[in-house]
Amino acid sequence: MNIRTVSTQAFTDQKPGTSGLRKKVKTFQQPHYLENFVQSIFDSLEGYQGQTLVLGGDGRFYNREAIQIILKMAAANGFGRVLVGEKGILSTPALSCIVRKYKAFGGIILSASHNPAGPDEDFGIKYNTDNGGPAPEKITEAIYNRSKTIDAYKILEAEDVNLEKLGSFELGSMTVQVIDSVADYVELMQSLFDFGSIRQLLTSGNFRMCMDSLHAVTGPYAYALFEQCLGAPAGTVHNGKPLEDFGGGHPDPNLVYAHELVDILFGDNPPDFGAASDGDGDRNMILGRNFFVTPSDSLAVLAANAKLVPAYSSGLAGVARSMPTSAAVDRVAVSEGIDCYETPTGWKFFGNLLDAGKVTLCGEESFGTGSDHVREKDGLWAVLFWLNILASRKQSVEEIVREHWKTYGRNYYSRHDYEAVETLEANTLMENLREQLSTMKGKQFGKYQVEYADDFSYTDPVDGSISQNQGIRIGFTDGSRIVFRLSGTGTQGATLRVYLESYEPDSTKHHLDPQQGLAELITLADEIAQIKANTGRDQPTVIT
Ligand code: G1P
Ligand code: ZN
């Protein structure tokens, strides 16, 4: 066995963001760049000798090369076994499921989620711990610190492993097991939902659905679930073949990037239900006939209807949402008498709450919902959850959401993104906001009076760890809110996210378009943060 120790020089920019390290492919292709980061991960872990690692990615450009490098490094560093998805493919929730099911030491996911793929686009790498969830900040910080001083890495000299064929192979003294990318995940889904009723709905002849996988990782999973197990007609899954460049698209399931699906659901004779997922399969968008469900509302509807799903029939332990997510789910929690937690942006903050059994469902406004069945958000799980509700309530998506608003009131909600802003300008804008915070309370802006203004800080109720500077919140006395934060997943300049929310209890006022319903707050956000003046942008790049 030939293990090589390769001398290297540290890179200064390997700080993991909201969800792992994301950079342009060209950055990852620099000599030693990926290797340094992988060795920094291994060097930050203890006790993995002889243990199992799970490895897979969303199939984007550079996935295959990266997998071979990581396999050889895992072998050189002493892992006992690596479970790797066939062709190097594993969706993020499937990897989480497999880590848990096979009690692996951890997992490595290769993905830049919804960011475009291709030689000039993005790549990413993320480490998950043995609970199947993203490594907590103390580990990602250790990885970053190690990456700043690393001077060597270990790699096995060997032929590439054939990932086209299921089976076990020896790589040095480590076993590589090429596993079916889909089977374990499908089995888990079958254990959670009422597949019998969903099958009845999908084969009844008077219900049509359309699932858009956007040429990203969920294609094979969606075919297996909807067309094979649940009997939906062939053609239900659109864009189901994963492509290395995602067909040149932007696999972000929202109204802007999943426009093909939006055109179908808002076109002539639309199907009853439409859904899309993102690059690595953890996000989802839910559409009804001529109807869009905001992710914040979706989380609230799932929570309110959870008892209809076999896995959650005895009720929820609690719910959690990220801070910028609307408070729609909070209202369900109050009515159900369960706890609701507000965490910083990023799935890693839900892990402790789920592990401690404090929450069952959690979600983010960024098209992410999930539960304690894995430790990642899960796009197809959310789609199945909706189908289970539709099968059981026998109402349309729109009827279900409108009834929900009637019961709980409507949280008008929208996110405005200003992408690829100059980093300096974005930082100045945030600094200026921070300086205003201490004098904001009580200030009147038109009909809005500031009730609180702060930079969100979170103390984890399980381990007591504190995460500061998680976004600026300005809350008004009528329950409206504006939140400002900078993205931690972008790879170019800075992305300013502005989150707008207002609460409307009166059901005669639930018919507005959110941009209309939020118009005054939108103007106010610019007045307070001076977005136009600071960034030179007249309008957001993306509105969701
Ligand atoms: C974005 C989303 C966040 C999500 C993350 C990873 O992070 O806003 O909710 O967890 O992607 O999918 P951001 O770019 O805002 O830091
Ligand atoms: Zn994703």
Side-chain angles (χ1 to χ4, degrees):
M1 195 171 64
N2 192 1
I3 295 176
R4 246 183 351 128
T5 301
V6 181
S7 309
T8 185
Q9 271 184 343
F11 292 88
T12 53
D13 64 346
Q14 298 198 321
K15 186 176 170 59
T18 311
S19 187
L21 184 70
R22 284 191 199 166
K23 300 280 174 195
K24 292 285 168 209
V25 166
K26 295 248 153 45
T27 304
F28 272 105
Q29 284 172 326
Q30 298 172 81
H32 314 307
Y33 193 89
L34 174 71
E35 291 86 343
N36 275 16
F37 191 73
V38 172
Q39 189 67 51
S40 300
I41 296 177
F42 294 160
D43 290 351
S44 309
L45 305 175
E46 264 169 41
Y48 62 78
Q49 298 298 320
Q51 301 282 320
T52 299
L53 181 75
V54 184
L55 177 63
D58 62 13
R60 67 176 59 223
F61 186 84
Y62 199 55
N63 196 61
R64 285 165 180 272
E65 292 86 338
I67 294 247
Q68 297 293 346
I69 291 170
I70 297 169
L71 284 173
K72 290 170 198 172
M73 289 186 66
N77 279 277
F79 274 95
R81 179 172 76 144
V82 175
L83 302 178
V84 56
E86 190 179 358
K87 298 186 165 60
I89 297 280
L90 283 178
S91 77
T92 291
L95 179 131
S96 185
C97 153
I98 291 165
V99 167
R100 295 168 69 77
K101 179 167 176 179
Y102 297 102
K103 305 202 173 1
F105 185 86
I108 291 180
I109 301 177
L110 302 173
S111 170
S113 188
H114 51 286
N115 296 9
D120 296 314
E121 298 294 352
D122 292 354
F123 190 75
I125 171 167
K126 185 172 90 162
Y127 180 71
N128 281 25
T129 51
D130 63 354
N131 70 348
E137 278 189 332
K138 67 172 191 299
I139 297 185
T140 55
E141 261 161 38
I143 296 172
Y144 176 47
N145 287 335
R146 178 68 188 129
S147 77
K148 289 190 284 192
T149 57
I150 191 165
D151 57 9
Y153 61 84
K154 282 198 254 176
I155 188 160
L156 186 78
E157 278 191 354
E159 291 288 302
D160 282 358
V161 175
N162 180 4
L163 300 175
E164 303 296 317
K165 222 169 68 195
L166 300 185
S168 285
F169 306 90
E170 294 309 313
L171 189 61
S173 52
M174 184 181 86
T175 304
V176 177
Q177 223 170 310
V178 182
I179 58 171
D180 185 316
S181 311
V182 174
D184 293 306
Y185 180 78
V186 169
E187 194 185 291
L188 176 62
M189 292 302 114
Q190 283 170 324
S191 74
L192 302 174
F193 297 105
D194 183 351
F195 268 49
S197 333
I198 301 176
R199 172 175 257 278
Q200 247 174 21
L201 177 75
L202 293 178
T203 54
S204 63
N206 45 35
F207 183 93
R208 280 184 301 134
M209 80 170 269
C210 175
M211 170 74 214
D212 193 340
S213 288
L214 297 168
H215 285 305
V217 80
T218 58
Y221 298 86
Y223 283 128
L225 284 166
F226 304 119
E227 297 190 10
Q228 285 153 27
C229 297
L230 291 165
T236 296
V237 179
H238 289 211
N239 301 320
K241 188 174 185 319
L243 299 174
E244 283 203 331
D245 66 349
F246 301 143
H250 197 134
D252 201 357
N254 60 38
L255 294 174
V256 178
Y257 294 122
H259 48 83
E260 203 180 301
L261 180 76
V262 174
D263 289 348
I264 295 173
L265 271 290
F266 286 81
D268 291 338
N269 188 24
D272 303 274
F273 180 67
S277 52
D278 74 331
D280 61 329
D282 56 359
R283 295 185 176 200
N284 73 90
M285 175 171 71
I286 301 294
L287 299 175
R289 187 177 275 210
N290 292 308
F291 195 81
F292 165 62
V293 186
T294 70
S296 297
D297 279 345
S298 178
L299 173 64
V301 170
L302 300 191
N305 291 279
K307 289 188 180 139
L308 302 175
V309 172
Y312 313 107
S313 58
S314 56
L316 306 173
V319 290
R321 63 165 172 85
S322 67
M323 180 273 282
T325 303
S326 99
V329 74
D330 303 36
R331 300 184 182 277
V332 178
V334 169
S335 120
E336 297 285 318
I338 55 176
D339 287 334
C340 178
Y341 296 84
E342 185 177 36
T343 59
T345 295
W347 209 260
K348 57 181 176 254
F349 295 100
F350 294 133
N352 278 351
L353 297 172
L354 291 163
D355 284 348
K358 289 183 179 295
V359 304
T360 313
L361 293 193
C362 38
E364 295 192 276
E365 49 66 41
S366 53
F367 297 84
T369 16
S371 88
D372 58 357
H373 69 289
V374 288
R375 291 295 180 275
E376 289 279 2
K377 54 192 178 240
D378 190 344
L380 293 174
W381 166 89
V383 177
L384 289 165
F385 203 134
W386 265 96
L387 284 170
N388 199 143
I389 295 173
L390 292 167
S392 161
R393 288 187 50 169
K394 302 188 171 49
Q395 286 172 294
S396 73
V397 171
E398 178 166 357
E399 279 163 350
I400 290 172
V401 176
R402 289 203 184 278
E403 267 187 29
H404 185 93
W405 292 338
K406 232 180 178 164
T407 311
Y408 300 95
R410 177 173 183 188
N411 289 71
Y412 278 105
Y413 187 83
S414 183
R415 182 175 108 182
H416 289 193
D417 292 336
Y418 297 80
E419 292 177 346
V421 173
E422 291 288 333
T423 308
L424 193 65
E425 293 174 356
N427 288 338
T428 308
L429 182 148
M430 292 300 283
E431 266 323 301
N432 290 346
L433 275 173
R434 273 191 198 104
E435 277 165 23
Q436 295 180 54
L437 289 178
S438 60
T439 56
M440 273 226 153
K441 193 172 172 186
K443 261 197 185 164
Q444 193 79 33
F445 295 93
K447 68 173 192 196
Y448 296 102
Q449 191 185 22
V450 177
E451 185 172 273
Y452 64 88
D454 62 10
D455 197 343
F456 182 59
S457 159
Y458 177 67
T459 304
D460 187 299
V462 180
D463 66 16
S465 60
I466 298 174
S467 304
Q468 283 167 325
N469 302 327
Q470 297 295 322
I472 289 176
R473 312 189 288 181
I474 302 176
F476 303 96
T477 47
D478 69 345
S480 308
R481 197 170 71 133
I482 307 176
V483 173
F484 301 90
R485 61 178 282 282
L486 298 184
S487 156
T489 58
T491 55
Q492 217 182 343
T495 293
L496 170 69
R497 303 203 195 284
V498 184
Y499 309 82
L500 306 132
E501 175 177 3
S502 71
Y503 178 63
E504 180 53 75
D506 180 354
S507 66
T508 63
K509 296 184 184 154
H510 285 168
H511 56 280
L512 296 180
D513 173 270
Q515 303 310 314
Q516 254 180 315
L518 295 164
E520 281 179 65
L521 276 182
I522 294 171
T523 312
L524 187 52
D526 186 58
E527 191 186 314
I528 294 176
Q530 292 293 310
I531 302 171
K532 287 196 187 89
N534 276 303
T535 66
R537 300 289 179 85
D538 267 349
Q539 51 188 10
T541 330
V542 181
I543 295 182
T544 46

